[in-house]
Amino acid sequence: MRLRIFTEPQQGADYDTLLKVAKATEDLGFDAFYRSDHYLAMGDSDGLPGPTDAWITLAGLARETSRIRLGTLMTAGTFRLPGTLAIQVAQVDAMSGGRVDFGLGSGWYEAEHTAYGIPFPKEKFGRLEEQLEIITGLWQTPTGEKFDYEGTYYQLKDCPALPKPYQEHIPVLVGGFGAKRTPRLAARYADEFNVPFGSLADSERQFDRVRAAAEERGRAASELVYSNALVACVGKDDAEVARRAAAIGREVAELKENGLAGTPEEVIDKIGRYAELGSSRIYLQILDLSDLDHLALIADQVQAKLS
């Protein structure tokens, strides 16, 4: 089981804060640093000092770290055109020496699109399918050959399909709860399938759908990595758990029900139940980015015992 740190900077974090968390992620032995791709705070947060861009952030972190994987859960497909996004991701991959993972989703938070003047199309899933086909197609096109694409939403003509990523193959993540189209999309394009903030029952159901879709496509279900994203709130005792829950405006009972909350022993037990379903990576959603002692506790008392 691999543990990855997953942040939500739109809730209020500048680049320097994210850099501190990413360096702690690396120093403490976690597998990866991920961030969301949002431009507007959610809930009661004022979002100060304001949003940061996911791929600009990862470009900076690519030069400031040396080991951890870097990625998004998930890049919003509504924010960028697929051709330019392929260039951006390939460039960050080169800047990191080949440590980028690429998670792509359709985009869902209409309010941030309204706030920043970003079009919010009605048909998002069809666009996501074309984006994945274009981006992976650009990366896979042999050097010296051109890439053409004629889709419903995007058209490319005589594209040189450059630059190429540093990695021969950038791992692609797809996720979500869709019952039919999402599993089929994962079976076609994904190296990893992620269930975001899902229960054990939800995860089992969705993993099974993806496994079936992979086999229908002629892929072994075991070719894909299966993962979960879950909010983390860990303390050495009940009082510390309660303090950390209060700091993020959540109730302990709710966090224990819907996330990974409690003492290290409680969290290890629940992670084990996700592992029994086939999950081999957990993205720990860390909401209080000022509490680096939280990461240190998880590294020492959870991650160390899992490995």
Side-chain angles (χ1 to χ4, degrees), residues 215-234:
E215 290 172 355
E216 288 173 7
R217 191 167 179 83
R219 294 181 68 183
S222 59
E223 286 184 23
L224 281 84
V225 172
Y226 300 87
S227 64
N228 291 87
L230 295 160
V231 61
C233 181
V234 188

Side-chain angles (χ1 to χ4, degrees), residues 236-258:
K236 64 179 183 294
D237 52 34
D238 291 343
E240 190 166 80
V241 175
R243 176 177 64 78
R244 287 200 164 109
I248 60 174
R250 303 279 284 270
E251 298 292 331
V252 172
E254 178 267 323
L255 287 169
K256 287 188 176 184
E257 176 69 22
N258 299 312

Side-chain angles (χ1 to χ4, degrees), residues 6 22-23 31 35 49 54 62 89 105 112 117 121 127 156 178 197 219 242 265 269 272 277 288 303-304 306-307:
F6 170 43
K23 286 188 170 181
D31 190 50
R35 58 157 294 162
V89 177
E112 67 188 338
R127 293 173 185 270
L156 287 76
F197 313 111
R219 294 181 68 183
E265 292 75 17
D269 177 71
L277 303 178
D288 184 356
Q303 179 176 246
L306 289 171
S307 60

Side-chain angles (χ1 to χ4, degrees), residues 2 47 63 72 94 133 143 184 186 196 217 220 222 237 256 273 305:
R2 295 284 190 175
R63 307 302 290 179
T72 53
E133 187 171 2
T143 301
R184 288 199 295 265
R217 191 167 179 83
S222 59
D237 52 34
K256 287 188 176 184
R273 283 182 273 162
K305 294 180 181 179

Side-chain angles (χ1 to χ4, degrees), residues 107-177:
W108 63 270
Y109 189 25
E110 186 172 5
E112 67 188 338
H113 294 75
T114 302
Y116 284 95
I118 303 168
F120 190 69
K122 182 178 180 180
E123 175 48 66
K124 293 181 288 298
F125 198 91
R127 293 173 185 270
L128 174 62
E129 290 181 294
E130 290 194 9
Q131 288 166 339
L132 281 168
E133 187 171 2
I134 291 166
I135 292 168
T136 57
L138 288 169
W139 291 339
Q140 293 166 3
T141 298
T143 301
E145 296 185 13
K146 299 292 182 70
F147 179 85
D148 294 318
Y149 185 83
E150 188 68 33
T152 301
Y153 305 103
Y154 305 102
Q155 297 80 40
L156 287 76
K157 181 67 175 176
D158 292 331
C159 179
L162 296 171
K164 299 303 182 193
Y166 184 95
Q167 298 174 87
E168 183 175 345
H169 175 77
I170 291 181
V172 173
L173 286 75
V174 171
F177 293 97

Side-chain angles (χ1 to χ4, degrees), residues 13-306:
D14 59 14
Y15 175 75
D16 287 339
T17 297
L18 295 172
L19 177 59
K20 289 177 184 177
V21 176
K23 286 188 170 181
T25 297
E26 182 155 278
D27 293 343
L28 292 168
F30 290 104
D31 190 50
F33 174 92
Y34 270 58
R35 58 157 294 162
S36 61
D37 189 20
H38 288 294
Y39 292 136
L40 193 67
M42 302 172 194
D44 296 331
S45 173
D46 58 18
L48 293 174
T52 52
D53 181 82
W55 285 99
I56 290 177
T57 297
L58 294 178
L61 298 181
R63 307 302 290 179
E64 298 281 357
T65 59
S66 61
R67 181 189 58 80
I68 51 174
R69 306 286 303 177
L70 300 167
T72 53
L73 283 180
M74 299 284 188
T75 295
T78 48
F79 288 176
R80 303 166 184 87
L81 296 172
T84 52
L85 181 57
I87 293 170
Q88 292 167 334
V89 177
Q91 183 178 6
V92 177
D93 191 51
M95 293 168 71
S96 71
R99 292 183 286 122
V100 160
D101 300 331
F102 179 56
L104 184 64
S106 61
W108 63 270
Y109 189 25
E110 186 172 5
E112 67 188 338
H113 294 75
T114 302
Y116 284 95
I118 303 168
F120 190 69
K122 182 178 180 180
E123 175 48 66
K124 293 181 288 298
F125 198 91
R127 293 173 185 270
L128 174 62
E129 290 181 294
E130 290 194 9
Q131 288 166 339
L132 281 168
E133 187 171 2
I134 291 166
I135 292 168
T136 57
L138 288 169
W139 291 339
Q140 293 166 3
T141 298
T143 301
E145 296 185 13
K146 299 292 182 70
F147 179 85
D148 294 318
Y149 185 83
E150 188 68 33
T152 301
Y153 305 103
Y154 305 102
Q155 297 80 40
L156 287 76
K157 181 67 175 176
D158 292 331
C159 179
L162 296 171
K164 299 303 182 193
Y166 184 95
Q167 298 174 87
E168 183 175 345
H169 175 77
I170 291 181
V172 173
L173 286 75
V174 171
F177 293 97
K180 295 181 179 179
R181 295 175 75 182
T182 297
R184 288 199 295 265
L185 195 67
R188 182 175 179 184
Y189 294 107
D191 299 282
E192 178 177 341
F193 184 79
N194 180 266
V195 172
F197 313 111
S199 67
L200 289 159
D202 290 338
S203 299
E204 182 175 28
R205 184 181 307 112
Q206 198 66 346
F207 289 165
D208 285 345
R209 287 170 176 160
V210 173
R211 290 183 182 108
E215 290 172 355
E216 288 173 7
R217 191 167 179 83
R219 294 181 68 183
S222 59
E223 286 184 23
L224 281 84
V225 172
Y226 300 87
S227 64
N228 291 87
L230 295 160
V231 61
C233 181
V234 188
K236 64 179 183 294
D237 52 34
D238 291 343
E240 190 166 80
V241 175
R243 176 177 64 78
R244 287 200 164 109
I248 60 174
R250 303 279 284 270
E251 298 292 331
V252 172
E254 178 267 323
L255 287 169
K256 287 188 176 184
E257 176 69 22
N258 299 312
L260 294 173
T263 63
E265 292 75 17
E266 290 177 288
V267 169
I268 288 169
D269 177 71
K270 192 164 186 182
I271 289 175
R273 283 182 273 162
Y274 280 97
E276 289 172 358
L277 303 178
S279 184
S280 60
R281 289 178 187 154
I282 300 290
Y283 294 80
L284 301 172
Q285 186 195 46
I286 303 297
L287 296 176
D288 184 356
L289 300 183
S290 67
D291 187 2
L292 298 184
D293 289 341
H294 191 199
L295 298 188
L297 175 69
I298 296 170
D300 184 56
Q301 298 297 320
V302 178
Q303 179 176 246
K305 294 180 181 179
L306 289 171

